[in-house]
């Protein structure tokens, strides 16, 4: 029987960022990843410290942005690749009132580092009222990040490509099959509903659709935002998305949301384009917009790290360090993120 520190269940942002901290601190672990496609895998990966509907910031946005460079610099040391793409968000204004509100908010202490007071006119798209730039925003190369992380942890022997069987846990003796563990951390996203130990935790599935489109016209190197995000991938391929749907629980592509995306794109891009891929998956969201960290109230060797929501990269990077410190350094969790708030 193999003696290890932790079993991680789930191969999205939460699972891999936590795996990074365990590896960095020489902790033994395995990560179980089934065949499910999570919201993390098709996400835009935009790291944006501003809520673009209201031009406001959110809880711990500065701390999350400050930590981003640190964790990805660490990851680069073993994957050999940098995943931060320093293209800022450019928000197309809908009306003059938005410009006024942006400029007013840019003078606030918490927003001054992020809202550029100078506006620009983007080439290749319609933005007659100009666009505002979110300073210090960026995006992550999501596709290559997951490819490299899967490859890396497969090579190191930490990755187990099979579904986790909750019924095979011997909680009293901290044994799962041939592993003797100190703790299991469930990073299952919406699949926590199938976890008999955490299925009462209100993780809400939020279905998203996104498009990969082929655009021949050159666009300025920004993450262009009106209703959805548009940015360049490579070879004239662009990401456009994503939608939000709290009601549909099926994995089918919904034509209604594809129509929403096409309508949104045509509202500011008037050139020709073709859809090359349509993707859909579920984000794990929480009504109070806080991630979920902590231990089961009865079985303290069972842990949860979930609820990263639409800000999967920022929440995942920052709170994976919080989760590690909770596990290994006995640092108490902020009540706002502690799973205890649901018991």
């Amino acid at each position: 029987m193999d003696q290890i520190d932790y079993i991680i269940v789930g191969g999205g942002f939460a699972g891999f960022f936590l795996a990074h901290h365990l590896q960095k601190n020489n902790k033994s672990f395995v990560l179980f990843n089934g065949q499910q496609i999570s919201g993390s895998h098709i996400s835009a990966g935009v790291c944006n410290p501003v809520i673009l509907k209201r031009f406001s910031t959110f809880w711990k946005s500065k701390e999350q942005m400050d930590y981003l460079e640190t964790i990805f610099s660490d990851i680069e040391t073993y994957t050999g690749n940098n995943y931060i793409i320093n293209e800022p968000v450019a928000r197309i204004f809908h009306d003059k009132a938005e410009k006024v509100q942006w400029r007013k908010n840019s003078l606030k202490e918490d927003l001054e580092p992020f809202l550029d007071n100078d506006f620009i006119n983007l080439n290749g798209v319609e933005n007659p009222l100009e666009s505002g730039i979110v300073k210090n925003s960026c995006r992550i190369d999501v596709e290559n990040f997951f490819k490299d992380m899967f490859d890396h942890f497969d090579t190191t022997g930490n990755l187990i490509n099979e579904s986790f069987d909750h019924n095979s846990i011997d909680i009293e003796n901290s044994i799962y099959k041939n592993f003797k563990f100190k703790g299991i951390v469930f990073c299952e996203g919406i699949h926590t509903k199938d976890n008999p130990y955490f299925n009462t935790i209100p993780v809400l599935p939020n279905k998203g659709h996104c498009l990969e489109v082929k655009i021949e016209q050159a666009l300025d190197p920004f993450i262009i935002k009106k209703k959805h995000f548009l940015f360049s991938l490579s070879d004239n391929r662009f990401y456009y998305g994503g939608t939000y749907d709290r009601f549909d629980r099926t994995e089918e592509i919904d034509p209604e949301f594809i129509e929403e995306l096409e309508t949104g794109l045509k509202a500011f891009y008037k050139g020709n384009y073709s859809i090359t891929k349509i993707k859909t998956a579920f984000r794990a969201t929480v009504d109070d917009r806080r991630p979920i960290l902590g231990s089961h109230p009865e079985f303290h060797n069972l842990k949860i790290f979930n609820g990263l929501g639409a800000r999967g990269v920022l929440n995942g990077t920052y709170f994976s360090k919080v989760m590690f410190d909770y596990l290994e350094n006995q640092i108490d969790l902020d009540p706002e993120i502690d799973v205890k708030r649901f018991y």
Side-chain angles (χ1 to χ4, degrees):
M1 183 169 293
D2 295 330
Q3 182 93 28
I4 60 174
D5 292 312
Y6 297 100
I7 295 173
I8 300 173
V9 183
F13 285 130
F16 275 120
F17 286 131
L18 180 59
H20 161 72
H21 288 291
L22 295 177
Q23 176 184 256
K24 180 180 178 181
N25 290 276
N26 299 312
K27 301 300 174 183
S28 56
F29 68 95
V30 291
L31 186 153
F32 279 83
N33 179 68
Q35 299 304 310
Q36 301 99 334
I37 300 297
S38 77
S40 297
H41 299 152
I42 73 161
S43 69
V46 174
C47 301
N48 171 32
V50 175
I51 299 171
L52 291 171
K53 285 185 178 180
R54 300 188 296 271
F55 310 144
S56 59
T57 191
F58 52 86
W59 189 60
K60 293 192 178 295
S61 60
K62 184 179 186 304
E63 292 90 336
Q64 292 183 38
M65 292 300 298
D66 287 347
Y67 187 61
L68 193 69
E69 185 71 39
T70 298
I71 190 168
F72 277 104
S73 179
D74 287 346
I75 290 172
E76 185 179 358
T77 62
Y78 55 85
T79 66
N81 291 316
N82 172 34
Y83 305 101
I84 297 179
I85 299 172
N86 288 305
E87 295 174 354
V89 172
R91 170 61 153 78
I92 295 175
F93 293 119
H94 293 81
D95 52 48
K96 292 181 180 179
E98 283 193 338
K99 292 183 70 172
V100 172
Q101 190 63 50
W102 178 291
R103 187 151 277 161
K104 179 179 177 181
N105 287 12
S106 71
L107 302 176
K108 296 180 180 179
E109 183 178 356
D110 59 335
L111 286 162
E112 188 278 332
F114 304 128
L115 297 183
D116 198 321
N117 206 22
D118 294 323
F119 303 137
I120 66 168
N121 197 295
L122 296 169
N123 293 309
V125 296
E126 293 200 353
N127 54 141
L129 296 171
E130 299 182 300
S131 300
I133 302 302
V134 181
K135 297 182 289 185
N136 301 313
S137 58
C138 61
R139 63 183 175 91
I140 302 304
D141 183 350
V142 173
E143 182 177 2
N144 284 313
F145 169 77
F146 279 111
K147 177 184 179 298
D148 289 353
M149 294 299 270
F150 276 115
D151 288 347
H152 171 74
F153 287 114
D154 188 32
T155 300
T156 60
N158 297 105
L159 181 65
I160 299 178
N161 284 307
E162 63 182 58
S163 297
F164 186 86
D165 180 10
H166 302 92
N167 295 321
S168 295
I169 306 173
D170 179 349
I171 298 176
E172 184 176 352
N173 295 300
S174 295
I175 293 172
Y176 176 77
K177 295 186 176 181
N178 63 323
F179 294 106
K180 173 77 172 175
F181 60 83
K182 183 166 68 173
I184 301 178
V185 185
F186 293 104
C187 306
E188 299 167 295
I190 65 161
H191 299 290
T192 195
K193 70 182 186 303
D194 303 317
N195 184 323
Y197 304 103
F198 289 106
N199 58 9
T200 62
I201 302 302
V203 175
L204 306 174
N206 190 313
K207 187 175 182 179
H209 289 76
C210 65
L211 305 178
E212 183 181 292
V213 297
K214 196 90 169 179
I215 289 178
E216 300 299 331
Q217 184 172 341
L219 302 182
D220 288 339
F222 291 97
I223 305 165
I224 301 171
K225 166 74 170 179
K226 194 169 186 183
K227 185 173 184 180
H228 309 289
F229 290 115
L230 175 70
F231 56 80
S232 176
L233 297 170
S234 62
D235 302 322
N236 296 326
R237 295 182 305 123
F238 283 75
Y239 175 102
Y240 187 66
T243 61
Y244 295 85
D245 181 3
R246 286 181 172 267
F247 303 104
D248 187 357
R249 299 294 186 263
T250 72
E251 297 181 1
E252 304 299 319
I253 291 172
D254 188 334
E256 178 182 342
F257 286 97
I258 304 310
E259 182 180 353
E260 176 188 316
L261 287 169
E262 289 207 73
T263 300
L265 179 58
K266 291 174 182 176
F268 67 94
Y269 176 71
K270 302 302 181 181
N272 296 324
Y273 70 90
S274 60
I275 299 174
T276 54
K277 287 183 183 178
I278 301 172
K279 298 178 181 180
T280 185
F282 292 90
R283 310 170 185 89
T285 63
V286 188
D287 271 343
D288 63 9
R289 300 181 184 274
R290 300 288 186 266
I292 302 168
L293 289 72
S295 301
H296 191 279
E298 181 180 355
F299 309 119
H300 300 297
N301 53 354
L302 303 184
K303 321 286 183 178
I304 188 170
F305 179 27
N306 206 323
L308 301 186
R311 298 188 187 94
V313 176
L314 284 177
N315 280 332
T317 51
Y318 181 81
F319 289 106
S320 62
K321 179 62 165 64
V322 173
M323 187 70 189
F324 177 82
D325 285 338
Y326 167 74
L327 294 172
E328 285 294 314
N329 300 322
Q330 292 73 55
I331 296 179
D332 291 339
L333 295 171
D334 188 309
E336 292 203 43
I337 61 172
D338 198 319
V339 69
K340 290 179 182 177
R341 70 191 191 271
F342 300 118
Y343 292 114

